[in-house]
Amino acid sequence: MTNTLEEAGDLPGRFSDGVGFVNGQYVPIAEAGVPILDWGFLRGDATYDVVSVWRGKFFRLDAHLERFYAGLETLQLDAGLKRGEIESVLAECARIGNLESAYVEMICTRGQPRSGSRDPRDCQNAFYAFAVPYVWIATLEKQESEGLHLAISDIERISATAVDPTVKNYHWLDFQRGLLDAYAQGAETVVLTRADGTLAEGPGFNIFVVNGDRVITPAAGVLQGITRRTAIEILERFGVEVQQEPLTLDVLHGGLEVFGTSTAGGVLPMTRIDGERVSDGTPGPLTMRVREAYWALHDDPAYVRAVADIPTPAGH
Amino acid sequence: MTNTLEEAGDLPGRFSDGVGFVNGQYVPIAEAGVPILDWGFLRGDATYDVVSVWRGKFFRLDAHLERFYAGLETLQLDAGLKRGEIESVLAECARIGNLESAYVEMICTRGQPRSGSRDPRDCQNAFYAFAVPYVWIATLEKQESEGLHLAISDIERISATAVDPTVKNYHWLDFQRGLLDAYAQGAETVVLTRADGTLAEGPGFNIFVVNGDRVITPAAGVLQGITRRTAIEILERFGVEVQQEPLTLDVLHGGLEVFGTSTAGGVLPMTRIDGERVSDGTPGPLTMRVREAYWALHDDPAYVRAVADIPTPAGH
């Protein structure tokens, strides 16, 4: 990395759409690219994580970095940066973009093989990062007023015996096809199913159902979301029992409330399922309490770190 | 597309490692990149095809283009180019690189969403292509002398109910993990299994087993490879019965010969499986006859088109 906020100069316009960190340089997001021969693209051989910045503060940065490093280990990837160095790069992306609230992604790809080699161990792994203005699966306004219309797809989520879903990855064609079907039906997002017919997860979110006085969320075959974990902690603090177990369609349809959890928008009320209203079709009371508590944690020093407090990357 | 071979000038050095077609421009392969925000990267939302050029001629270009357009239709993607235009771009990539024998890839990605949208239908799809010197899973010399050492992995190939394997895609993390395991065991490539325990396919190749006087190759849950199809046609011409049916481990281990088929190397003799020799451990006679016939087709006008005969892209 050779340039910094200072060196990038006072050009907020160029960077206001977002900032990429590519090949050790900070560049406007529109100029950030991945080499076409990088196996991160041609083979989806990469892991990533996304952390939010909300009003100048990273939320649960430690948890995201832990998951990212765990993914690197499973895939035998080396990002080539120490944890503090990654923190600095992520903070610098947000600072250069002057982004008060941002969606900040760290990526490690397999990179390109040596000429003639097909051996993944011969690749020079590559680290990328970017920050863009905060991304919403649904805006706060939409969350409060209407909630989301969810479709259930019988497209199967890629199984855990094929691709480990706890390693955050770019294998989303199942989700994308589910989304195309959902939009065609007038829904706004989708949850896929597992081979056993129980529900898995949606594109970028975990699913929760309020079932009597308990809350159920699937545990197997899904990403162990940080927002999911936060929602579970909040529910337990409220004294609500959370059962991490297979979620059937029957339980979903009988749910008093349904919500999703995602770094891209937090706690997302789902008020219609395949066109049918959940309860009275408005965001549910427990959902809204969890959501309020979730956003309150964004001021809790135990959960956040100010972007401004993270050192600028060491010049080299 | 705004530059051509002529405009690119007499700079074979810059292009000799390969040529990318990005954003309507021909660029040296090292400069060819995909925007980091393209959902083709961030969501693996793309399809592609690879056609070989051998001694100046495309092999079965029509079949590859048909499969590519079928994949576009399934994924609701629009490459924005007519078939003849894609042919011209692919030929131009090979010509600019002065590549007598090449691995030529065409790609269509979902592209980037409109700001704030999560709807795949809002994306501007993007077309990319590149040509690089011919890629070998195993060189001709290695094929003739030793053959390949194959490992069988119990990692499951992503199921057809999650991602349609007949649409060529970049969901390869299952293969990549299988390859890492294979190399760690001293093997050189890998075949993954299906949920029912039968064999699926390898990274970029289909698998065939000579079983008595028949040949067996799986049909379900695998890419319908063009080289696979060519091998089946050759075998049928030889009067050998080909059964497209589930392939068990028992049948594999009892096989007289085993081979793979791939655009990256043709017909690939597999002479060891998990360390055990197949028959006497040398490339089998039927395998070598199929292989010879495969390469002979590269001079058959019914199968090839000279790069030089394909028009230069219309200037615009």
Side-chain angles (χ1 to χ4, degrees):
Chain A
M1 51 203 95
T2 61
N3 62 351
T4 62
L5 176 53
E6 209 169 288
E7 290 153 23
D10 187 28
L11 294 162
R14 286 183 66 217
F15 289 97
S16 61
D17 288 338
V19 179
F21 178 78
V22 175
N23 215 6
Q25 299 282 331
Y26 298 92
V27 296
I29 191 66
E31 297 170 20
V34 172
I36 205 164
L37 296 186
D38 190 316
W39 278 358
F41 174 58
L42 293 182
R43 300 187 164 197
D45 192 356
T47 188
Y48 74 106
D49 217 295
V50 176
V51 57
S52 65
V53 169
W54 188 250
R55 296 180 181 160
K57 293 169 187 159
F58 283 107
F59 186 68
R60 304 199 86 167
L61 179 56
D62 284 346
H64 287 280
L65 283 165
E66 262 159 42
R67 188 173 59 183
F68 182 61
Y69 276 97
L72 294 177
E73 193 177 343
T74 302
L75 297 186
Q76 301 175 42
L77 289 169
D78 179 3
L81 293 175
K82 296 192 192 106
R83 207 162 141 149
E85 292 173 319
I86 291 184
E87 289 174 357
S88 286
V89 167
L90 301 179
E92 196 72 359
C93 284
R95 282 193 289 256
I96 292 176
N98 200 21
L99 300 167
E100 261 294 283
S101 296
Y103 178 96
V104 185
E105 184 154 334
M106 62 200 99
I107 304 165
C108 184
T109 65
R110 187 71 60 190
Q112 299 179 48
R114 246 192 319 112
S115 176
S117 171
R118 309 273 293 182
D119 188 339
R121 299 171 304 179
D122 285 341
C123 293
Q124 178 72 41
N125 305 163
F127 178 79
Y128 303 89
F130 66 83
V132 291
Y134 192 86
V135 169
W136 297 97
I137 288 182
T139 62
L140 285 175
E141 297 69 35
K142 179 157 175 76
Q143 289 177 30
E144 280 162 18
S145 56
E146 295 174 58
L148 278 159
H149 182 179
L150 176 70
I152 306 301
S153 173
D154 57 8
I155 293 174
E156 192 183 314
R157 178 63 184 132
I158 293 170
S159 81
T161 44
V163 177
D164 182 349
T166 68
V167 176
K168 217 166 150 66
N169 65 72
Y170 292 136
H171 287 41
W172 274 46
L173 264 178
D174 49 353
F175 286 138
Q176 293 294 93
R177 292 190 62 196
L179 274 174
L180 283 167
D181 293 346
Y183 279 107
Q185 291 162 36
E188 293 147 331
T189 193
V190 69
V191 163
L192 307 188
T193 45
R194 303 179 65 209
D196 64 6
T198 64
L199 296 167
E201 60 188 336
F205 66 90
N206 293 107
I207 182 93
F208 288 72
V209 178
V210 181
N211 179 253
D213 56 2
R214 306 170 311 154
V215 172
I216 299 173
T217 189
V222 299
L223 179 76
Q224 302 299 305
I226 311 290
T227 312
R228 174 184 184 276
R229 189 196 306 174
T230 307
I232 291 171
E233 289 165 3
I234 291 167
L235 285 162
E236 287 174 347
R237 181 147 50 83
F238 288 171
V240 176
E241 186 189 352
V242 181
Q243 293 186 320
Q244 299 186 44
E245 61 182 39
L247 177 60
T248 65
L249 266 171
D250 280 352
V251 168
L252 177 75
H253 284 294
L256 298 173
E257 304 179 30
V258 177
F259 62 90
T261 55
S262 172
T263 291
V267 177
L268 308 160
M270 308 282 177
T271 49
R272 279 186 294 166
I273 295 172
D274 287 334
E276 280 177 44
R277 291 192 293 189
V278 179
S279 294
D280 69 354
T282 64
L286 182 59
T287 301
M288 296 310 264
R289 274 180 68 208
V290 174
R291 183 172 162 279
E292 196 174 335
Y294 171 76
W295 288 106
L297 289 178
H298 286 67
D299 282 321
D300 184 329
Y303 287 79
V304 298
R305 268 177 78 188
V307 171
D309 290 346
I310 295 177
T312 288
H316 43 140
Chain B
M1 52 205 96
T2 59
N3 61 353
T4 62
L5 176 54
E6 208 170 290
E7 289 154 22
D10 187 27
L11 294 163
R14 283 182 68 218
F15 289 96
S16 61
D17 288 338
V19 178
F21 178 77
V22 175
N23 216 6
Q25 299 282 331
Y26 298 92
V27 296
I29 191 66
E31 295 169 21
V34 172
I36 205 163
L37 296 186
D38 190 316
W39 278 358
F41 174 57
L42 293 182
R43 299 186 166 199
D45 193 356
T47 187
Y48 74 106
D49 216 296
V50 175
V51 57
S52 64
V53 170
W54 187 249
R55 295 180 181 161
K57 294 169 186 158
F58 282 107
F59 186 68
R60 304 199 85 165
L61 179 57
D62 284 346
H64 287 280
L65 283 164
E66 263 160 42
R67 188 172 60 183
F68 183 61
Y69 276 96
L72 293 176
E73 192 176 343
T74 302
L75 298 187
Q76 300 175 43
L77 288 169
D78 179 4
L81 293 176
K82 295 191 193 110
R83 204 163 145 149
E85 292 173 319
I86 291 185
E87 289 175 356
S88 287
V89 168
L90 301 180
E92 197 72 358
C93 284
R95 283 193 288 257
I96 293 176
N98 199 21
L99 299 168
E100 260 295 284
S101 295
Y103 178 96
V104 184
E105 184 154 333
M106 61 201 98
I107 304 165
C108 184
T109 64
R110 188 71 60 190
Q112 298 179 48
R114 248 193 319 112
S115 177
S117 170
R118 309 272 293 181
D119 188 340
R121 298 171 305 180
D122 286 339
C123 292
Q124 178 73 42
N125 305 164
F127 178 79
Y128 303 88
F130 66 84
V132 292
Y134 192 85
V135 168
W136 298 96
I137 288 182
T139 62
L140 286 175
E141 298 69 36
K142 179 157 174 76
Q143 288 177 30
E144 281 163 17
S145 57
E146 296 173 57
L148 277 159
H149 182 180
L150 176 70
I152 306 302
S153 174
D154 57 8
I155 293 173
E156 192 183 315
R157 178 64 184 132
I158 293 169
S159 81
T161 44
V163 177
D164 183 349
T166 69
V167 177
K168 218 165 149 68
N169 65 72
Y170 293 136
H171 286 41
W172 273 46
L173 263 179
D174 48 353
F175 286 138
Q176 294 294 92
R177 292 190 63 196
L179 273 175
L180 284 168
D181 292 346
Y183 279 108
Q185 291 162 35
E188 292 147 332
T189 193
V190 70
V191 164
L192 306 189
T193 46
R194 303 179 66 211
D196 65 5
T198 63
L199 296 167
E201 60 189 335
F205 65 90
N206 292 109
I207 182 95
F208 287 73
V209 177
V210 181
N211 179 252
D213 55 1
R214 309 169 310 155
V215 172
I216 299 173
T217 188
V222 300
L223 179 76
Q224 302 299 304
I226 311 290
T227 312
R228 173 183 184 277
R229 187 196 307 173
T230 308
I232 291 170
E233 289 164 3
I234 290 168
L235 285 161
E236 287 173 346
R237 180 147 51 83
F238 289 170
V240 176
E241 186 190 350
V242 180
Q243 292 187 321
Q244 299 186 44
E245 60 181 39
L247 176 61
T248 64
L249 265 173
D250 280 352
V251 168
L252 177 74
H253 283 296
L256 297 172
E257 303 180 29
V258 177
F259 62 89
T261 56
S262 173
T263 291
V267 177
L268 308 160
M270 308 281 177
T271 49
R272 278 186 293 166
I273 296 171
D274 287 334
E276 280 178 42
R277 290 191 294 189
V278 178
S279 294
D280 68 354
T282 63
L286 182 59
T287 301
M288 295 310 264
R289 275 178 68 208
V290 174
R291 183 171 163 279
E292 197 175 334
Y294 172 76
W295 287 106
L297 290 177
H298 287 66
D299 282 321
D300 184 330
Y303 287 79
V304 298
R305 268 178 78 190
V307 171
D309 290 347
I310 296 176
T312 288
H316 43 143

